[in-house]
Amino acid sequence: MSSLASPPLHPSVADPARCLRRLAALLPASRVLSGPAQLAAYESDGLTAFRTAPLAVVVPETQAEVIALVRLCHEEKLPFVARGSGTSLSGGSTPVAGGLVITLNRLNRILRVDPAQRLAVVEPGVINTAVTAAAAPHGLHYAPDPSSQSICTIGGNVAFNSGGAHCLKYGMTSNHVLGLKAVLATGEVVEFGSASREQLGPDWCGLFSGNEGLFGIALEITVQLLPRAEVFHTVLAGYRTLEQAGDAVSAIIASGLLPGAIEIMDALALEAASAAVHAEYPPGCEAVLIVELEGPREVVAAQRPQLDALIAASAPVEARPARDAAERAAIWKGRKSAFSAVGRLSPDFIVQDGVVPRRRLGEALRRIAEMSRAAGIRCANVFHAGDGNLHPLILYNGTEPGALDRAEVLAGNILKMCVEMGGSITGEHGVGLEKRDYLASMFNADELDCLHRIRAAFDPLGIANPGKMFPDGTAPALAQHGLHPLEKAGLISRE
Amino acid sequence: MNALLSPTTLAELAEAVRSAPRILAVGARTKPRLSAAAPDVTLVSTLGLSGITEYQPDEFTFTALAGTPLSEIAATLAARGQYLPFDPLLLTAGATLGGTLGAGLSGSGRFRFGGQRDFILGVRFVDGTGRLLRLGGKVVKNAAGFDLPKFFVGSLGRFGVFGELTFKVFPRPASTLTLRLPVADASAATALLNAAAGARWEIDALDLLPAADAVAVRLAGPESALPILAAEILTRFPGEILSASAADALWSDLRELRWTHAGGSLLKLALTPAQLPELVARVRALSGRIHVTAGGNAALVSLPAPAASLGLPALTLRGPGPLWLDAPAPPAIHAAVKTALDPHNRFPSLAA
């Protein structure tokens, strides 16, 4: 996409050979990767349309090594990108050409689980679901649940303020971060927040969360844990039209209920999900709604008839409450696999992430359908209906000349529509590489200048993940390939 | 006496900030220590910037000017069955939305769904160069740009002057029920707070009351469910269910800080439940009173005399003492971010 080809902010590394020598002095040879074959696996992330070769990939095992690496980068003016599992859908962990990739997968220790105070202290490479697994024996869980949660890391979740299906009620990652130890791009090591759920003074953890790797690298993260809900009432309802499903959401919101999750999938997403996980959805439906209540059994028992009545009144083709934990798990499996399942319908696709005011969801979906028809590009929709967070999946065939460019144009038009409607260009994937040209559609020149100043306060040299969030880095080459290798293996899914 | 400016539009607010070399925003001044400034500082009152500018009940969001009284917001939300779940303090006393955000004060309801940081969505503010900027968004989910709105929670007006704020709101639970559970001492209180917070009951508010001799538990939800949950709690922790009027009085007295000393000092602390026994002992040694909220994670301490060290970092809200007690030295990044937002040091230092 030509708009990504803005001039580089940084001169290329002054002396790559010296940087490599210094890296070799810092880490054993087995943990400094610089051969083309070794680098290939790190050239792209969940935004598979872009790839770039870094100078080297390093594999630190301790916090001290990460600090030493960042200080080396600072001294050498060497750009660096921190990387967890590489699941970013906005290209957040795409390497910087000639820069360093610092992988954090080996900093994967859960340092402390405190069941009494309901918190965990973890290193950045810990997998999202591993936190809940460690908390589960104490009846606790870690609430943020991006679809890639079985493989994405907490460090990446913090950097991009990841969301999931439960954000309306529980917030995003940043709402669950109590404390942070981080090495900033200047080499300064800071501690923000504490083990308390309250804070004194400005909210540094809140500012750091969602920094997209532009401030530095989190080394230790203190997260709050919540008691696991005692019971769930999960309903899957099929509707003839998307509008009817949207009306059902409006009725639920207006009722005063606060469901843990409200999700909608459209016909094309249903087709993909049913093929992938053999889920059977009500036939002839243009939309499926998933609503989940949760809480103490007495509370859910009292709210369940209210929800069931609201859904019955919304004239579904069929409404299916999950009768047990297995049925609930099957409903969620279908939902969470929908994105990678779309890979069965199309060789390539872009997962878009925009937000519109909830009351305008129906209008937004109509306009997406019109734009998609006009462009001759198929578009599946999966979205967090409770918070207006759309995930249009734009299908294209990368082997067709110009197809990716046309898909990018449609994706951009959808983002512009979100901003026009008073929403946002990203609900949970971050701006990253993919949306940096659209940041200016949300913020004016003064506001962008303010964001730049904040960035420069943390990273005066502009070496931490340059080229992300702001259109000021070197553009990586566009590639044309399909699913992430881990998606093909069925290990991760996108949201 | 400090000079006082009273803008009535956001453009006038920006102009007011540009008009003087030293500026501090003030609202209703219900936390007097936070609006105290050196004589050469010009105060900018936000009281002329009042009113809800946008309210979308079906979006769970509202936007209001910074000087809007919390009472007006609470009444508007209540008319549509909604509320700010973090129970903002000093509502009857006249506190404003902007002052509440700058002070970083959340009330008892912050236990269940979180404090202000979990409900602030967007801010229009004037930075130290006098520019009116809007960051964050007006929708409940947004990840674009750095999260300055969250950073501003508790920032004490030292990084910018708020003009207009957007918050998330929730539907108000159908009913509430409050229990009072006596505790023998502060260690027993910590044990009770931790056990109750980790239990299946989905407690709405969990506080150690100012006499430090009882824990208050508020349940919120469907009317049919709460007595059953309350009965189960009472089998584990002896105590009583309060009448609706007694419960209302208890929570509104806490919200309005009616338990504090007149003319004394008032401090805010962040703590962990494990630190509670020692803090209670120190407060008692100073003849003070303490209200511990958020399940043992936040405390307000009232002292009859000027503020004194409590062994934990503390922020003075009322009284003559220093703004901070026992606060660690800020990291270097603090000064860099201050310079980024306020290059001419128009706003006071966070330290004073």
Side-chain angles (χ1 to χ4, degrees), chain B residues 192-215:
Chain B
L192 196 163
L193 293 173
N194 284 340
R200 71 174 192 96
W201 305 312
E202 214 173 83
I203 287 167
D204 186 56
L206 183 61
D207 289 13
L208 177 65
L209 296 173
D213 62 350
V215 167

Side-chain angles (χ1 to χ4, degrees), chain A residues 113-120 131-143 197 224-229, chain B residues 194 197-199:
Chain A
V113 175
D114 183 336
Q117 298 189 30
R118 306 173 317 287
L119 57 85
V131 183
T132 285
H138 310 288
L140 302 169
H141 81 296
Y142 174 64
R197 281 163 155 80
Q224 68 175 12
L225 303 173
L226 302 178
R228 195 176 41 221
Chain B
N194 284 340

